[in-house]
Amino acid sequence: MAAALPAAARLWRQPARPASRAVALPAPPRRACVRGEPAEGGGGGRHDTRAPLRTSARRGAMGRAGRRLPALAAVFYGALAALVLLGVRDVLFLYEENRCSMTYMYEYPEYLKIKLPKKTARRYPAYELYLYGEGNYAEENKNLLLTGIPVLFLPGNAGSYKQVRSLGSIALRKAEDVDFKYHFNFFSVNFNEELVALYGGSLQQQTKFVHECIKVILKLYRDQEFAPTSVAIVGHSMGGLVARALLTLKNFKPELINLLITQATPHVAPVMPLDKYLTDFYTAVNNHWILKAQDLRNLTTLSVAGGFRDYQVRSGLAFLPRLSQHDSALSVVSSAVPRAWASTDHLSIVWCKELILATIRAFFDLIDENTRQITEDPKKRMSVLHHHFVRHPAKTFEENPEAFTELTGAFMWIPVKASKWTYSVYNVSNVFFLIVFLCVFFLLMSNFFFLLRILMENISHFLLQATENHTVMFTVKTDTSSWIYGCMNSNSSMCLEATDLSWRAELLPTTKVVILKLQDYTSLSHIVIQVPPTVGNKYTLDCEFFREDSRTVQLPVTHLFSFGLSSSKILLNSTGLLYNVQLQHFNRIYQAFKIYIESHCQSLKERKPSVYRLHVPWSHEDSIIVAKVPSFTEISAKLHIAQPQNDSRVPELNIYSSSDCQYEVILKTSVLQVLGQIIRFHAGALPVYVVSNIFLTYGGQLSTLMSTGQCSDFPLELVRTAKPYKVEPLISIVVFLQGFNWFREIWESLSLPEVDAAVLSSQDAWFPLVSLILFVFGTGIAYWSGVFFSTSLRLFSSLWLTLIRPTVLQKDNKLITPRRLCGVLSLALVSWTTCGAFAVFIIYLQYLFKVIKLHVNVRAEQNMLNGDSDCSKETSQNSSIYTVKNQSSTDSTLKATQSLSNSTTIAEAVNSLKMHVTILNLFTWIVLLNLPSLIYWLKNLRYSVRLDPDPCRSTAIILVCILEILMNSSTSEVKSSKLLKIAAKVPLPLSVAMLAFGRMHLYKVPHFVTLSLLLHVLCCIV
C-alpha cells in the first residue's frame, strides 16, 4: 500500500494510450463516496504533485506561526479586557457601604390625581399630576382646599411619581411638630417612567407639561389668604434638568419658581449622548443659564450629588456651571452634607433619611413668617442652604442672631497657666459657665493655639477649635443652643456682656469644631463655655495651646506610574486634637490613592473616636470617616472635580485625634482605583473606540482582499491593523493647533465642530494618555467581541446542522430582485411610519439569519469535501490492479475539475463569510447604540405608533437599503471593483473623524459607518 501512492502519481503523469494497447486488470474494490475525486485515481493530464507538497509544507510552517500569533494576541487582549473589567468592578462594587437610613411612612401613602384642563390632557395623554397625602391629611385634601406651601417633585429617568413619598412624609411629621403653623403640599408629576436619559426626544415635551402643571398648582391656591406666587421644585436625576429647562421656554415667567433643589442630576452633559435631541437640549439649557445668569439671580439652586456610590451619574456631572456672576447656585456631594456624611446611590438619594431631613429642615427655615411662603430674599435662601448643606454650627438657623448676650447663672473661673490642662466634673444638675482667662496668652504666647476639650460619658462629643496662632477645642453635649461665648465686659465674678461664638462652630460626626482667629478678637477678655446638666455622667474638659505650623504637615502623593510599589509615609506624635496633612500635587481626576492610618496609644483608657476628613477646598466633596482608637483605617482618596486652573489650594487630610496617641499615615497609588476613575469618567466613550477598532480591521480586510484576493481573519487583521498611532497623533495635533487663534479661525470658517478632546480638556476631564488607554481598551473589547461573535455563530450553525438539513451552496448573481426590492420598501415604510430603530433591528435579524445560513452551508460543504478526500485516498491505497482506459481518464479529469471548482466555490464562500462576520459585528454595535430609542418606542407604543421625533429615521432607511444589498453580496464582486482601492482607504480617515467628533456625540458613530458601507455597496455594483 505504501507503493501505491507513487505508482498512482506516476500513472497520473502518463499520457493517454491508444485503446488497442490497453491492458485489462482486475478492478480494485470500491467504496461509496458522496463527492470528490474519482475512485479510480487515474486521470488524463500533466499534473505535478511536488508543487502541492511544497505548498503544503509552507502552509504548515505559516500555520504554526499563525497559531502562535493568535495565542499571544489572545493573552494580550485578554489582559486588556481584564483591566477594563477591574475598572468596572471598582466603579460598580468597590465603594463605601450604604450609611443611609430608610425613610418610613407612618400612615398609608395616598396619591390624589389632579384634574388637568382638557386641552392639556389631550396634548399630553401619557403624563399626570398627583398630590401626596397620608391618613387624615389626605382625607382633608380631597376637596383640594389647600393652604400650604406648594412643592413640585419631578422624577428622573424611568422614575416614578411615588418617589415623592419620602419628602412628603417627613414634611408632614415636621408640620405636626409645629402644630401645622406651616406645612407643605407636595405634588408629583407622572412622566410614565420614560427613559429620557437615553432618548432626548421627549425632554422638551416634559418641560412644557411641567409649565402647565405649575399654572394648575397655583390656581388651586387662588382664593387663599396667603396664596403663593411661586412653586419650589425638587428634581431627581433628569427631572432636575427639566426644571432648569423651564427657563428656556419663551412664555415662561422666571418668578414662578424661586427655589430649585436637584438630586443626582447630570447638569454638565448627558451620561450617554445617544441622540442629537439629547445633546441639543443640554446645549440649549446650559447656554441659557450662562447667557442669562443675571436674570437668574432670584432663583436659588442647590445641586446634591450622590458621591462614589452613584455609578450612574458621576458627581462631577452634577456640579452646576461655575459663574462668578451667578452666586445663587450651590453644588455639594452628599458625603459632605452635615448630619448625613454618606454617599448615596442614584435611587437612594430620594429616600436617604439623613438627606431628606436636611432638605425638610431647610424648607421650614426658608419660610417667611409674614407671607407664610418661601422667602423672596435670595440671600436668606443661600444662607439657609449653606447652614444645612455646607457648614452646620449645631444651632438652629437664625436670620439675624443677636450680637451680644447677657449671661445669667453661676460662673466658675478657670485659670490657665500651662499650654495643656484638663478639667473634670461629675453629676452636674444645673447649668453653669466656665470662664477661661485669655489675656495672658495674647501677650506671652502669640505663636500658639489654645485647645480645650470636654468629654462626657454616654453623650456625643463635639470639638471646638480656635485659631490664629491659638486654637481652642471643646467637646460638649449635642444640642442646638448656644454654648460658647466671648466675654467683652466682665468684672471679677461674672461676665456682664458676651458675644455668641457658637455660630463659628462646624458640626462633625462626633465633634463640633470652632476655629477662632484670636487676633480678630482682641477685645475679648475671656472665653465662656456653658456646661449643660450632666446628671449621671462624667464631664471632662481638655485644653491645649499649640503652634499652627506644628500641626500642619505636608505629604507628597506618589506618582501615577509607581503602581503602588512605592509609598509616602509620615508619623504623627499627637499631643493634641488636630492635625492637617496637606496632600501635595493631588489635583487631577485620574489620581487615586489608598491612605492607611494606624493609631497607637500609650494607655488603654477609653477615648473618643477619631475623625478623619478628606477636605477638597475647591468643591464641596469632603468625605468623613469615624474610627475607633486604636485602629487601622483605610481611606480612598480620589476627586470628583479637578483643581481649577487659578486655584492653588491643596487638599487636606484633617485628623481629629486623641492626645498621647501616635498616628502613622501611609499613602500609595491604587492602580485599581485609577482604572476605576478612567472608567467612571470615560466609559461612555468606550463604544466609539471599540467601533473604531472594528472599523480599522474592516478596512484592513478590504486591503488584504485587494492585494491577495483573500479575506483575512478578523482577529489576525485586528492585530495587524488596529494601531493607535494611526489615529491618535492627528487628533492630538488638531487639539494643539486649536490653541492658536489663526487655526481656530480657519477651523470655524470651515464650519467644523470643535474636537471633543478639546471640550473635555476645558472641563478638566482629559489628560494626555487617556485616549491611548481608551484605544487599547477598545482594542481588547473589539478582539473578544469578535471572538464571542464567531463562537456564537459556530454554536448556532451547529444547532442548525443538527435540526435542519443544509442546502447546496449556490452563488447568487443578482444583488437586487423584485422580492428584495419589496422587502426594502417595506422596511423603509416601517422606519418612516413607526420607529427607525425598529427597522434597523429587523434588517439586523435578517442579516444575522443570512450569515448563520451561509456559515451552515460552508461547514456542510467543507465536511463533504473532506469526506471525498478521505474516500479518494482510501480507494487509491486499496487499488493494486486496475484498468487504464482512455475513457476512464477523461472521466477522472472531469471529476477532478468539478472537485476543484467546488473547492474554489467554498474558498470564495469562506472569504465572503469572513467579510460578512466583520460587517455584522460592526453593525451589532450600531444596533446597540440605537436600542434605547427602540425601547422607548415600545414602552410608549400604546400612546403613539410613530416615534416623533425619531433620531435615526433617515439613517435607518439608508442602512436598510445598504444591508439588503450587502447580505446578498460576495467578495468575488468586491475584489474586481474599481472602487475597492478607495473603499479600503476610507475607514482610516473615518476612524479618525469618529474619535474626534464621536466621543461626546455617540449618535454620530452610525453616520461614519453608513458612509463606509455605502462605498462597499458601490463596490458590489460598479
Side-chain angles (χ1 to χ4, degrees):
M1 293 180 63
L5 182 59
R10 288 193 301 270
L11 186 61
W12 180 268
R13 291 194 297 269
Q14 290 178 357
R17 294 179 180 151
S20 58
R21 298 182 60 183
V23 180
L25 298 174
R30 301 185 58 178
R31 60 187 290 266
C33 297
V34 181
R35 302 185 56 170
E37 297 292 338
E40 290 82 355
R46 297 179 179 268
H47 299 281
D48 189 357
T49 59
R50 290 174 294 181
L53 290 174
R54 288 194 299 268
T55 302
S56 299
R58 285 196 301 270
R59 287 178 179 174
M62 293 175 62
R64 288 190 295 271
R67 284 192 296 270
R68 288 195 297 269
L69 181 61
L72 293 176
V75 172
F76 177 71
Y77 293 124
L80 291 178
L83 292 178
V84 176
L85 292 177
L86 288 174
V88 172
R89 176 175 173 267
D90 179 76
V91 173
L92 299 184
F93 303 106
L94 301 183
Y95 42 70
E96 66 179 73
E97 62 180 5
N98 188 7
R99 291 185 281 176
C100 282
S101 303
M102 177 65 74
T103 305
Y104 295 99
M105 283 75 251
Y106 290 90
E107 297 179 271
Y108 188 78
E110 297 184 26
Y111 305 89
L112 178 62
K113 185 176 180 180
I114 305 298
K115 186 177 181 180
L116 300 173
K118 293 182 179 179
K119 184 178 179 181
T120 303
R122 285 197 304 268
R123 185 177 299 176
Y124 310 102
Y127 302 155
E128 298 168 326
L129 177 64
Y130 288 88
L131 172 65
Y132 178 80
E134 293 181 18
N136 295 332
Y137 172 76
E139 290 294 328
E140 294 172 358
N141 288 333
K142 284 188 176 179
N143 54 8
L144 294 180
L145 297 177
L146 306 178
T147 58
I149 303 170
V151 179
L152 179 60
F153 175 78
L154 304 180
N157 178 61
S160 170
Y161 66 94
K162 295 182 179 180
Q163 290 173 321
V164 73
R165 60 183 176 267
S166 296
L167 285 166
S169 181
I170 296 297
L172 184 58
R173 303 284 84 77
K174 181 72 173 177
E176 291 176 350
D177 292 341
V178 297
D179 295 328
F180 281 92
K181 180 181 179 181
Y182 311 112
H183 70 278
F184 289 84
N185 303 127
F186 277 85
F187 297 85
S188 183
V189 174
N190 179 16
F191 284 136
N192 194 31
E193 300 183 6
E194 292 179 337
L195 301 174
V196 288
L198 305 178
Y199 169 75
S202 62
L203 284 170
Q204 193 68 24
Q205 190 178 15
Q206 287 189 1
T207 305
K208 293 178 180 179
F209 179 74
V210 171
H211 185 200
E212 297 297 326
C213 288
I214 291 175
K215 292 188 287 187
V216 170
I217 290 171
L218 292 178
K219 285 182 181 180
L220 296 176
Y221 298 85
R222 187 165 43 191
D223 299 328
Q224 302 301 324
E225 180 181 0
F226 299 99
T229 59
S230 61
V231 175
I233 296 181
V234 178
H236 173 241
S237 187
M238 294 298 288
L241 185 68
V242 170
R244 290 180 61 210
L246 286 169
L247 300 166
T248 64
L249 299 178
K250 293 181 179 180
N251 56 346
F252 183 79
K253 299 177 181 179
E255 57 269 18
L256 291 180
I257 53 175
N258 57 11
L259 177 64
L260 171 60
I261 298 178
T262 65
Q263 302 170 329
T265 297
H267 292 293
V268 177
V271 178
M272 293 290 288
L274 293 172
D275 65 64
K276 186 176 185 296
Y277 306 110
L278 188 59
T279 56
D280 288 349
F281 189 83
Y282 266 91
T283 302
V285 172
N286 288 330
N287 287 345
H288 182 87
W289 277 61
I290 293 174
L291 298 176
K292 303 291 183 179
Q294 294 290 346
D295 300 337
L296 302 178
R297 284 184 166 236
N298 291 327
L299 172 62
T300 303
T301 309
L302 169 67
S303 175
V304 182
F308 290 110
R309 280 188 62 88
D310 189 353
Y311 53 80
Q312 297 185 40
V313 177
R314 63 178 177 87
S315 297
L317 294 177
F319 278 65
L320 292 163
R322 299 172 183 170
L323 301 174
S324 58
Q325 67 272 26
H326 190 197
D327 55 359
S328 59
L330 178 64
S331 301
V332 299
V333 180
S334 61
S335 60
V337 175
R339 298 190 181 185
W341 298 300
S343 178
T344 62
D345 59 56
H346 197 63
L347 292 180
S348 67
I349 198 170
V350 300
W351 55 256
C352 179
K353 185 177 181 179
E354 290 76 9
L355 275 179
I356 298 300
L357 285 172
T359 305
I360 297 303
R361 291 182 188 123
F363 270 130
F364 276 86
D365 285 342
L366 286 167
I367 298 175
D368 188 337
E369 293 184 358
N370 297 322
T371 62
R372 294 195 177 184
Q373 298 293 325
I374 290 179
T375 179
E376 296 294 332
D377 184 4
K379 292 184 178 179
K380 180 182 177 181
R381 292 198 297 262
M382 283 303 296
S383 298
V384 171
L385 294 181
H386 268 277
H387 180 89
H388 289 282
F389 289 91
V390 178
R391 186 186 179 94
H392 198 295
K395 277 180 59 64
T396 304
F397 176 80
E398 296 179 21
E399 184 176 1
N400 298 308
E402 295 181 0
F404 303 101
T405 304
E406 292 185 4
L407 302 180
T408 59
F411 290 84
M412 178 180 295
W413 289 86
I414 303 294
V416 179
K417 298 180 180 180
S419 62
K420 185 176 181 181
W421 55 276
T422 300
Y423 172 79
S424 299
V425 66
Y426 298 87
N427 294 328
V428 178
S429 58
N430 298 318
V431 175
F432 70 95
F433 297 92
L434 297 178
I435 302 180
V436 181
F437 187 59
L438 291 181
C439 290
V440 64
F441 294 101
F442 288 114
L443 297 175
L444 303 178
M445 303 183 67
S446 59
N447 293 326
F448 289 84
F449 288 82
F450 176 50
L451 177 70
L452 297 177
R453 182 180 65 184
I454 302 173
L455 299 178
M456 292 183 62
E457 296 179 356
N458 300 325
I459 56 176
S460 298
H461 297 83
F462 289 87
L463 181 68
L464 160 81
Q465 182 173 327
T467 144
E468 158 216 42
N469 293 322
H470 296 78
T471 299
V472 190
M473 289 189 172
F474 298 85
T475 306
V476 298
K477 182 179 177 180
T478 307
D479 54 30
T480 57
S481 60
S482 296
W483 59 282
I484 179 170
Y485 305 89
C487 189
M488 305 183 67
N489 186 5
S490 65
N491 56 23
S492 59
S493 61
M494 63 181 297
C495 184
L496 301 179
E497 189 178 41
T499 180
D500 191 354
L501 301 179
S502 304
W503 295 106
R504 303 286 299 176
E506 181 183 7
L507 185 63
L508 293 176
T510 61
T511 59
K512 57 183 177 184
V513 180
V514 173
I515 301 177
L516 299 175
K517 208 168 190 178
L518 294 184
Q519 67 181 11
D520 296 336
Y521 297 91
T522 55
S523 59
L524 299 182
S525 60
H526 307 79
I527 285 183
V528 182
I529 305 165
Q530 180 177 339
V531 180
T534 59
V535 178
N537 296 317
K538 180 182 178 182
Y539 189 92
T540 303
L541 171 64
D542 291 331
C543 305
E544 182 186 14
F545 285 87
F546 57 89
R547 296 175 59 92
E548 181 179 16
D549 55 359
S550 68
R551 299 302 172 87
T552 301
V553 295
Q554 295 182 350
L555 182 66
V557 299
T558 53
H559 195 271
L560 176 66
F561 295 107
S562 65
F563 301 109
L565 301 178
S566 62
S567 63
S568 294
K569 184 185 301 185
I570 193 168
L571 183 63
L572 307 175
N573 292 315
S574 175
T575 57
L577 301 179
L578 175 65
Y579 267 101
N580 295 320
V581 181
Q582 296 182 346
L583 305 178
Q584 299 292 323
H585 314 299
F586 180 30
N587 51 20
R588 293 296 171 221
I589 53 99
Y590 56 84
Q591 294 176 300
F593 307 97
K594 285 286 188 181
I595 300 178
Y596 304 96
I597 304 176
E598 187 173 5
S599 58
H600 302 280
C601 300
Q602 297 177 2
S603 61
L604 300 177
K605 66 179 182 180
E606 184 178 356
R607 292 176 175 83
K608 73 180 183 67
S610 295
V611 178
Y612 308 134
R613 176 171 68 175
L614 181 63
H615 174 60
V616 181
W618 56 79
S619 60
H620 302 295
E621 56 175 281
D622 295 2
S623 57
I624 296 177
I625 292 179
V626 180
K628 296 180 179 180
V629 179
S631 65
F632 182 83
T633 306
E634 179 183 306
I635 300 175
S636 295
K638 45 194 175 184
L639 299 175
H640 297 290
I641 297 290
Q643 184 181 31
Q645 293 182 355
N646 299 325
D647 198 324
S648 59
R649 292 173 293 177
V650 180
E652 290 184 342
L653 176 64
N654 304 134
I655 301 177
Y656 298 91
S657 57
S658 296
S659 58
D660 68 25
C661 291
Q662 284 187 344
Y663 291 83
E664 185 179 21
V665 181
I666 302 174
L667 183 144
K668 293 183 178 181
T669 297
S670 175
V671 177
L672 295 182
Q673 293 193 45
V674 170
L675 294 173
Q677 287 291 86
I678 294 174
I679 296 299
R680 178 176 287 106
F681 279 81
H682 302 291
L686 269 179
V688 182
Y689 287 91
V690 176
V691 175
S692 177
N693 276 276
I694 300 175
F695 212 34
L696 290 174
T697 306
Y698 164 71
Q701 286 181 318
L702 289 178
S703 299
T704 306
L705 184 65
M706 179 179 62
S707 60
T708 65
Q710 302 293 325
C711 184
S712 56
D713 291 328
F714 178 84
L716 294 176
E717 195 62 41
L718 179 72
V719 174
R720 188 182 69 87
T721 310
K723 305 296 182 183
Y725 60 79
K726 294 184 178 181
V727 293
E728 292 299 331
L730 183 59
I731 298 175
S732 300
I733 291 172
V734 172
V735 172
F736 173 76
L737 292 176
Q738 281 190 336
F740 299 95
N741 292 330
W742 62 268
F743 185 83
R744 194 182 303 112
E745 292 175 358
I746 296 175
W747 190 270
E748 293 175 355
S749 65
L750 297 175
S751 300
L752 293 174
E754 192 173 3
V755 178
D756 290 347
V759 178
L760 291 172
S761 297
S762 65
Q763 298 175 358
D764 297 322
W766 201 253
F767 63 97
L769 293 179
V770 68
S771 187
L772 175 63
I773 294 173
L774 292 175
F775 189 92
V776 295
F777 282 177
T779 308
I781 296 174
Y783 180 89
W784 285 103
S785 68
V787 171
F788 173 78
F789 201 78
S790 301
T791 305
S792 300
L793 285 178
R794 284 196 294 270
L795 291 176
F796 280 118
S797 62
S798 299
L799 182 61
W800 186 309
L801 284 171
T802 57
L803 298 178
I804 304 174
R805 184 176 181 181
T807 58
V808 179
L809 187 64
Q810 295 179 349
K811 184 176 180 180
D812 193 350
N813 294 321
K814 293 184 179 180
L815 294 176
I816 302 175
T817 63
R819 183 178 179 180
R820 294 169 185 167
L821 184 60
C822 291
V824 170
L825 294 177
S826 300
L827 288 178
L829 184 63
V830 168
S831 175
W832 187 261
T833 57
T834 58
C835 174
F838 182 52
V840 170
F841 187 68
I842 292 176
I843 195 69
Y844 171 76
L845 293 179
Q846 186 178 349
Y847 197 0
L848 181 62
F849 176 80
K850 284 266 190 179
V851 172
I852 293 176
K853 185 178 180 181
L854 177 61
H855 198 282
V856 169
N857 291 336
V858 167
R859 286 188 61 180
E861 291 290 337
Q862 287 177 337
N863 292 338
M864 294 174 65
L865 186 61
N866 293 335
D868 291 343
S869 177
D870 295 339
C871 176
S872 177
K873 291 179 182 179
E874 182 180 346
T875 304
S876 299
Q877 292 173 357
N878 292 334
S879 59
S880 57
I881 303 174
Y882 52 88
T883 304
V884 181
K885 297 182 179 179
N886 187 28
Q887 186 62 37
S888 64
S889 299
T890 304
D891 294 340
S892 299
T893 302
L894 292 175
K895 293 181 179 180
T897 303
Q898 183 179 2
S899 176
L900 188 60
S901 175
N902 291 336
S903 300
T904 303
T905 302
I906 293 175
E908 191 63 44
V910 169
N911 288 331
S912 299
L913 180 62
K914 293 177 181 178
M915 184 62 67
H916 284 307
V917 169
T918 301
I919 295 175
L920 192 59
N921 189 8
L922 189 64
F923 191 54
T924 301
W925 288 91
I926 305 304
V927 172
L928 292 176
L929 291 176
N930 289 322
L931 196 60
S933 60
L934 175 61
I935 297 174
Y936 179 90
W937 173 72
L938 291 173
K939 188 175 178 62
N940 292 271
L941 193 58
R942 56 177 175 169
Y943 299 107
S944 177
V945 177
R946 191 171 192 259
L947 180 63
D948 190 27
D950 191 343
C952 58
R953 178 173 291 126
S954 56
T955 306
I957 294 176
I958 298 174
L959 282 175
V960 164
C961 299
I962 289 174
L963 293 178
E964 185 63 42
I965 296 175
L966 284 182
M967 73 175 65
N968 298 291
S969 65
S970 65
T971 53
S972 60
E973 299 155 345
V974 175
K975 62 186 178 183
S976 61
S977 173
K978 299 178 181 179
L979 299 177
L980 179 58
K981 187 175 182 180
I982 299 176
K985 293 182 177 180
V986 162
L988 177 58
L990 288 182
S991 295
V992 175
M994 191 184 301
L995 293 182
F997 306 112
R999 298 175 204 178
M1000 299 179 64
H1001 307 83
L1002 294 179
Y1003 61 89
K1004 292 182 180 179
V1005 173
H1007 302 160
F1008 298 115
V1009 176
T1010 301
L1011 180 59
S1012 183
L1013 293 181
L1014 182 60
L1015 285 175
H1016 194 136
V1017 169
L1018 293 178
C1019 289
C1020 297
I1021 299 174
V1022 179

